[in-house]
Amino acid sequence: VPTAEVNHRIISFDDVTNVDEVNLSADQVVDVYTAGGVCLRRRVNADGATDGLSKGLYIVGNRKVAVTE
């Protein structure tokens, strides 16, 4: 009996921080990814990286961020 292959990505969110507590310099350029690994924005300034995003978990410049508002 053939078995189905499963492709998945596991991302740990043990230390999720609130977007207001992210310590990235304003002039730092970052990429923004969803928790599932989909790139949403490339090379944006860190100070506005999550502006306009829906509530949820994101990866911003290699940091885990929870957008709560």
Side-chain angles (χ1 to χ4, degrees), residues 12-39:
S12 173
F13 288 99
D14 295 336
D15 298 319
V16 176
T17 59
N18 188 305
V19 70
D20 295 329
E21 298 174 8
V22 175
N23 295 322
L24 298 171
S25 64
D27 60 345
Q28 184 176 0
V29 176
V30 297
D31 294 334
V32 180
Y33 294 87
T34 65
V38 176
C39 183

Side-chain angles (χ1 to χ4, degrees), residues 25-69:
S25 64
D27 60 345
Q28 184 176 0
V29 176
V30 297
D31 294 334
V32 180
Y33 294 87
T34 65
V38 176
C39 183
L40 299 177
R41 300 177 178 170
R42 289 193 186 273
R43 303 193 51 75
V44 295
N45 287 335
D47 61 343
T50 59
D51 291 350
L53 293 179
S54 301
K55 291 181 182 180
L57 299 173
Y58 299 92
I59 307 298
V60 179
N62 296 324
R63 294 184 185 236
K64 296 164 269 192
V65 176
V67 175
T68 58
E69 297 179 6

